[in-house]
Amino acid sequence: MMTSQSGLFDVAVVGGGVVGCAVARRFALDGARVLLLEKAPDILAGASKANSALLHTGFDAPPGSVELACMQAGYREYMDIRERLNLPVLETGAMVVAWSEQDAARLGDIEAQARTNGVNDVRMLDRSEVLTREPQLASSTYGALLVPGEHVIDPWSAPLAYLTQAVSNGATAQFNAEVRGGELRDGCWFLETARGTFMARTVVNCAGLFGDVLEKRLLGASDFTIMPRKGQFVVFDKAAAAHIRTTILPVPNERTKGVVIARTIFGNVLIGPTAEEQPDRTRANVDETTLRMLVAKAIEMIPALADIPVTAIYAGLRPATERKEYRITARPAQQWISVGGIRSTGLTAALGIARHVSQLHAEFDRQPLAPPADPRWPSVPNLAEHLQRDWQAENHGEIVCHCELVTCREIENALQGPLPAGDAGGLKRRTRAGMGRCQGFYCQARVSALAAGKLAEPLAVETQDD
C-alpha cells in the first residue's frame, strides 16, 4: 500500500462533477475536513460537461420525490448565493408548448402537477398569447403553459464556483486521482488512488457515470446500474438569439423531458437533447442524421432559424439508471453515501443534493464540526453575454479569441489560482476561448502558446521546425 496522504479527512467526495463540487462545498462550509478526488485532470470531465444549462423550478418533477425537494432547495440556494459568487442568471421563463391536440389535452395535468409541487405562478396561454410572447414561433401551436421561474445559467462557472469556495474554506482537491481500490478498516476508509492513499471517515460517491463501478470496486456490490443516456445538441449562431426569448419546452413523456430550444447564457440558441441509451460510458459521438433532425425540428418550431448557421454540435452522457428517480442512499455501517442516477436536473439540484447528503451524514457521524466563522466567498469570472465581460473593461489588453472576445488576461487567470484549468476542455469552459464561430481556427496557436506546459496534454504538437 502506498503512503497515506495529508492525514485523516472527515469526508472524501469521489467525483468532480457539479454534484461532487456542490457536496464538497457544503461539507467545507459545515466545517468538515474535505477531500475531493477526481480521476480527470479537471472538474466536469464526465456527465456535467454537456447539458442544457437550465435552472428548473421542479414544476414537472415527481411530487413528493427527493428529486423535487433537492431541485427546489438547489434553486433557492443558487438564487441566494449567486451574487456573492458572481454567478449569472438569464431570466427567460419557459413555455411548455403544445404542438398537437393530444399535447394540448395534457397541459391541464401539467399545470395541476406544477401547483402540487408548489410552483403556483404558472399560467395557461392560448395560441394568441403564445404568439404575442414569441412572435417567431410557428403558428401551428395549440397553446402553452407558461412557467415564469425557469431560467438559464452558466453550467460550468457554477460548479467551478462551488469547488473554489470549498477550497477557499479548507477543502483539498486532487486531480488525476482515480480511486482504484480501498477498504474500511478501524473506522477509517483507506482509498487507493493514482496519487497515493488517502484516509477518510466517510466516502460520498458522486462518481456519476462510474458510480456503480466505484461501489462494486469498494463495497463489492451496487444498488444501481448506470445505463448511460446520450443527448445530442446543436448550437445556433448568436444571431439566433434575436428570434427567441423564452425557453421552449415540449410536453414531456415518462422517459425524457424532451427536446428543448433555449437561449444560452453565452448568447447562442441551442436545441437538444436527444435521449439515446448506449453502453459506452465515455464516448458521446454525434451523428449527422440526428443532428439534421434537430436542426429541422428547430426550424419547424422557429422558422427564422433556417437563415442562421450552426456554430457547434456536441453530445453528453447522463448517468441514468434502471429507475427514473435519484439513487441517494446512506449506508451508516459502511460510512458511505451513494449519490447515483442524477439525471438532467442535477445542475439545478446540486446544491439541494449537497444539503440532503449533509443531513444524511449527520445522522450517522455525530462528531461535532466547527463551521468557519467568516466563510470566504470567492468570485468567478463572468462569461455571460448579457453582463459585462472582461473585454468591455478598461485596460483589458490583448483579445485572443475574437469570436468569443476572450482576453489574454482571462486565459492567464484561468491557468493559475487555486483551481487552474487542467486540460483543454477545462480551459475552454473557464474562458470560452475556441468555442465561437471558428471553433478555435484563428486563436488556437495563441492559446496553445499561453497554455504551454500548464495542461495535462499540450494543445500543440512540437515539430522539428519548432
Side-chain angles (χ1 to χ4, degrees):
M1 181 175 290
M2 301 175 72
T3 304
S4 65
Q5 307 286 315
S6 307
L8 176 64
F9 290 91
D10 296 313
V11 177
V13 180
V14 182
V18 61
V19 174
C21 293
V23 169
R25 170 184 176 271
R26 172 46 46 202
F27 276 109
L29 294 178
D30 286 346
R33 191 158 187 255
V34 180
L35 169 68
L36 183 138
L37 296 170
E38 167 55 48
K39 68 179 181 180
D42 205 341
I43 61 172
L44 311 182
S48 297
K49 67 183 175 186
N51 56 64
S52 51
L54 300 182
L55 188 66
H56 292 295
T57 59
F59 76 95
D60 60 346
S65 64
V66 171
E67 179 181 6
L68 173 62
C70 290
M71 286 175 67
Q72 295 189 328
Y75 186 108
R76 288 192 298 271
E77 185 165 355
Y78 184 91
M79 297 300 281
D80 181 54
I81 68 175
R82 70 180 187 87
E83 290 187 357
R84 282 179 285 181
L85 294 175
N86 197 36
L87 296 175
V89 168
L90 181 62
E91 297 186 358
T92 60
M95 291 192 297
V96 182
V97 177
W99 296 104
S100 67
E101 291 183 355
Q102 291 80 7
D103 283 352
R106 293 190 57 200
L107 290 181
D109 290 340
I110 298 172
E111 179 187 17
Q113 183 173 352
R115 296 190 187 283
T116 299
N117 289 350
V119 184
N120 292 311
D121 58 351
V122 296
R123 183 164 63 89
M124 298 293 287
L125 303 179
D126 62 24
R127 177 177 174 277
S128 175
E129 292 173 307
V130 170
L131 296 177
T132 297
R133 184 179 178 89
E134 290 296 338
Q136 298 295 328
L137 202 63
S139 59
S140 55
T141 174
Y142 283 69
L145 178 70
L146 176 66
V147 190
E150 298 273 308
H151 297 318
V152 173
I153 63 175
D154 181 342
W156 304 317
S157 292
L160 176 62
Y162 302 159
L163 188 56
T164 301
Q165 188 177 27
V167 171
S168 297
N169 288 280
T172 297
Q174 291 284 348
F175 297 97
N176 302 301
E178 179 179 6
V179 178
R180 297 171 173 170
E183 63 176 334
L184 179 62
R185 188 173 72 242
D186 300 327
C188 174
W189 273 101
F190 292 78
L191 301 173
E192 298 174 17
T193 81
R195 301 290 300 273
T197 300
F198 294 90
M199 299 161 51
R201 288 209 313 276
T202 298
V203 174
V204 181
N205 173 14
C206 299
L209 290 159
F210 291 86
D212 56 343
V213 173
L214 180 72
E215 300 209 346
K216 291 175 183 175
R217 191 174 290 170
L218 270 67
L219 302 178
S222 176
D223 291 337
F224 58 88
T225 300
I226 294 296
M227 305 172 70
R229 187 170 296 161
K230 183 172 71 175
Q232 300 188 49
F233 292 85
V234 170
V235 179
F236 286 89
D237 188 78
K238 296 187 178 187
H243 299 303
I244 175 177
R245 65 187 180 107
T246 309
T247 295
I248 306 300
L249 304 172
V251 174
N253 57 44
E254 281 297 313
R255 183 164 169 265
T256 173
K257 294 171 77 71
V259 173
V260 174
I261 294 185
R263 294 169 62 185
T264 74
I265 202 85
F266 312 114
N268 300 88
V269 170
L270 66 76
I271 181 169
T274 55
E276 308 164 56
E277 294 185 359
Q278 66 169 48
D280 196 315
R281 299 172 186 243
T282 57
R283 290 187 298 178
N285 298 331
V286 296
D287 68 86
E288 183 175 350
T289 300
T290 302
L291 296 175
R292 288 189 182 279
M293 178 276 291
L294 287 172
V295 171
K297 185 76 174 174
I299 294 171
E300 180 184 345
M301 289 190 277
I302 303 178
L305 294 179
D307 298 324
I308 307 295
V310 169
T311 295
I313 53 176
Y314 65 94
L317 295 174
R318 287 159 270 172
T321 72
E322 66 275 35
R323 298 201 326 234
K324 184 177 180 180
E325 68 267 24
Y326 287 1
R327 314 296 291 272
I328 304 176
T329 56
R331 302 184 187 194
Q334 294 169 297
Q335 297 168 216
W336 183 281
I337 298 176
S338 299
V339 184
I342 308 303
R343 58 193 191 120
S344 59
T345 54
L347 177 63
T348 297
L351 294 170
I353 292 171
R355 285 190 177 273
H356 181 58
V357 169
S358 173
Q359 291 165 2
L360 291 174
H361 178 259
E363 292 174 2
F364 68 81
D365 187 336
R366 300 185 182 279
Q367 179 163 318
L369 300 175
D374 186 18
R376 296 180 177 178
W377 289 88
S379 178
V380 293
N382 169 61
L383 299 178
E385 186 85 354
H386 67 293
L387 301 174
Q388 178 171 308
R389 292 276 308 280
D390 190 52
W391 68 270
Q392 295 167 303
E394 292 186 3
N395 303 317
H396 58 71
E398 177 190 2
I399 293 178
V400 175
C401 172
H402 287 264
C403 294
E404 292 295 312
L405 298 171
V406 181
T407 67
C408 180
R409 180 167 62 189
E410 287 179 297
I411 295 172
E412 290 175 336
N413 288 340
L415 292 166
Q416 56 189 346
L419 288 173
D423 57 19
L427 184 58
K428 286 184 175 181
R429 291 188 286 272
R430 282 169 174 79
T431 64
R432 290 197 57 73
M435 300 186 80
R437 290 169 179 152
C438 82
Q439 292 290 289
F441 183 84
Y442 291 106
C443 68
Q444 184 72 6
R446 180 66 175 132
V447 174
S448 298
L450 291 169
K454 298 177 180 176
L455 302 179
E457 295 183 4
L459 297 177
V461 177
E462 292 187 3
T463 68
Q464 292 182 342
D465 296 331
D466 292 328

